[in-house]
Amino acid sequence: MSQFKKITQDILRKLSNNVPQASFSVIFWDGTKENYGAGTPQFILNFKTENAAKRMISSGSLGFGEEYIDGNILVEGDIDKLLQLGSDPSLQNLKLSLGTKINILFHHFKTLNTLINSKKNISHSYDLGNDYFKLFLDKSMTYSCAYFRKENDTLEQAQLQKYEHICRKLLLKKEDTLIDIGSGWGGMLVYAAKNYGIKGVGCTISKEQYEYSKELTKKEGLENRVTFLFEDYRNMKGNFSKLVSIGMAEHVGKKYFPMFIKTIKSLTRLEGIGLLHTMGHEFDMPEEVFTSKYLFPGYYVPSLAEIVNLLGKNGLTITDVENLRLHYAKTLDEWTNQIKEHSEKIKTIIGERLLRLWYLGFKAASVNFRYGTSRLYQITFTNGLNNSLPLTREYLYT
């Protein structure tokens, strides 16, 4: 037996002892198989090469992810259980190799969200072709956490319910002007215009999202009410009664987060209401390297404390914070189910490697929302004090 195989087995035994309820099998690169835990294996982890196991141990989630998408690590059975097991401290605390640390640092500086880099970063994540996104998103092409009022709500219902929930939090009315920073495929503004009669402006730096949004306004007959711009949020001007940003804050980056909040302040009318819908953590966390490198370059998830502090410093008064953690886990499950169902079609559009990448990314995110440190916050605020708001939250649910 090689020395490295023995090291790998020792790590797996320690992991199994730390999480005794987990039962799994491992097939090693030499064809041998070993069982861990009691009972029927919940999943089988197959290392096709010795190097795949070495990369997982030396590079953590980055190494595992890279070897998985290259097909050098295979998983049969319940991948959720494997990913849940992977969050155990005995794996998380393994020291990364010097080469991995240098790679991480280089990638961080390469993808800083400057005006030039931001367009490249967003294009990498969102310009994969609308035909791809249509295969796993709902009809509204909404690519953010949905809002499930009932366990058996469809994804389409839940996304429309999310828009309605936000509209109510913003206390939208016909005379309102609404800006959507990071407007995606246009779902939020179209919903608000159709159901509340607002006039709106949205901005995105994804070319495909921009073109789709423009066509959507024509199709819905909303060209006089809704305008979409192919523009970076830093260049937006105006003074709006209401502001929303859904799933955009994660793409700003730590260095530019203060500027993002200042921009929100400048675009919101005095006493106006805004809502920030963003992933977050309850405390500062290190960058999730695999996600940042392969799925969302320039990606940064702030802590709730960081968001609250910056809002306060800019005179934005928080009126409500809601954590939709389990709603996002369920949304991600819906997406992965669709990816699995349409895997052959998706393969023809983006290839097998990217199919494995996005499937793993969504699965890992779902597990992290259910069992890890990921949160989804909806933070409502006003620009300065607004003493005319309702005294209770009853207006959200009646």
Side-chain angles (χ1 to χ4, degrees), residues 4 29 48-58 67 72:
F4 178 70
W29 49 90
K48 302 297 287 184
T49 66
E50 183 176 9
N51 186 60
K54 284 181 177 178
R55 296 235 35 247
M56 184 185 81
I57 290 172
S58 67
E67 295 301 318
N72 298 322

Side-chain angles (χ1 to χ4, degrees), residues 50 61 78 102-103 115 138 141 173 182 196 244 264 284 391:
E50 183 176 9
S61 62
D78 193 343
I102 292 171
N103 186 5
L115 283 168
D138 69 296
M141 292 289 281
K173 51 191 182 300
Y196 286 84
V244 69
I264 284 175
D284 291 339
L391 292 175

Side-chain angles (χ1 to χ4, degrees), residues 207-261:
K207 195 70 176 173
E208 298 225 12
Q209 287 181 343
Y210 169 65
E211 296 295 345
Y212 183 94
S213 300
K214 282 201 309 177
E215 287 302 312
L216 182 61
T217 56
K218 289 180 186 177
K219 181 181 174 183
E220 297 289 345
L222 295 170
E223 293 169 279
N224 294 329
R225 303 199 68 80
V226 177
T227 302
F228 291 100
L229 302 175
F230 184 61
E231 190 59 84
D232 190 283
Y233 74 93
R234 286 165 282 204
N235 296 328
M236 294 298 290
K237 305 294 180 187
N239 199 233
F240 298 84
S241 61
K242 305 291 168 66
L243 176 145
V244 69
S245 183
I246 304 172
M248 156 68 186
E250 301 93 320
H251 295 290
V252 169
K254 186 173 181 64
K255 180 178 179 181
Y256 298 97
F257 212 80
M259 182 185 295
F260 176 64
I261 300 300

Side-chain angles (χ1 to χ4, degrees), residues 77-240:
D78 193 343
I79 192 172
D80 288 30
K81 291 291 184 185
L82 167 63
L83 294 168
Q84 188 181 346
L85 200 63
S87 62
D88 187 84
S90 59
L91 278 184
Q92 292 294 316
N93 294 336
L94 289 173
K95 290 183 178 179
L96 299 180
S97 68
L98 178 61
T100 298
K101 289 178 180 177
I102 292 171
N103 186 5
I104 291 169
L105 191 62
F106 174 76
H107 177 74
H108 171 76
F109 286 112
K110 182 183 174 184
T111 58
L112 278 174
N113 284 302
T114 62
L115 283 168
I116 294 174
N117 280 348
S118 285
K119 283 189 177 179
K120 293 179 185 176
N121 292 341
I122 291 299
S123 182
H124 174 95
S125 304
Y126 295 98
D127 290 339
L128 295 170
N130 290 335
D131 287 343
Y132 162 58
F133 289 102
K134 285 176 183 176
L135 289 172
F136 72 88
L137 298 180
D138 69 296
K139 287 181 183 177
S140 71
M141 292 289 281
T142 302
Y143 196 19
S144 54
C145 172
Y147 184 70
F148 294 86
R149 298 183 74 90
K150 296 176 184 176
E151 188 64 33
N152 61 349
D153 284 342
T154 65
L155 180 60
E156 185 177 359
Q157 281 178 307
Q159 292 294 11
L160 294 177
Q161 287 165 182
K162 184 264 296 297
Y163 289 141
E164 177 64 21
H165 197 50
I166 290 173
C167 288
R168 292 186 181 202
K169 286 185 174 185
L170 291 171
L171 294 167
L172 286 187
K173 51 191 182 300
K174 192 171 183 180
E175 60 268 28
D176 274 330
T177 54
L178 173 65
I179 182 168
D180 185 354
I181 300 179
S183 50
W185 283 272
M188 175 68 211
L189 283 180
V190 166
Y191 183 91
K194 287 174 69 175
N195 292 277
Y196 286 84
I198 59 92
K199 287 190 175 180
V201 175
C203 65
T204 178
I205 50 176
S206 159
K207 195 70 176 173
E208 298 225 12
Q209 287 181 343
Y210 169 65
E211 296 295 345
Y212 183 94
S213 300
K214 282 201 309 177
E215 287 302 312
L216 182 61
T217 56
K218 289 180 186 177
K219 181 181 174 183
E220 297 289 345
L222 295 170
E223 293 169 279
N224 294 329
R225 303 199 68 80
V226 177
T227 302
F228 291 100
L229 302 175
F230 184 61
E231 190 59 84
D232 190 283
Y233 74 93
R234 286 165 282 204
N235 296 328
M236 294 298 290
K237 305 294 180 187
N239 199 233
F240 298 84

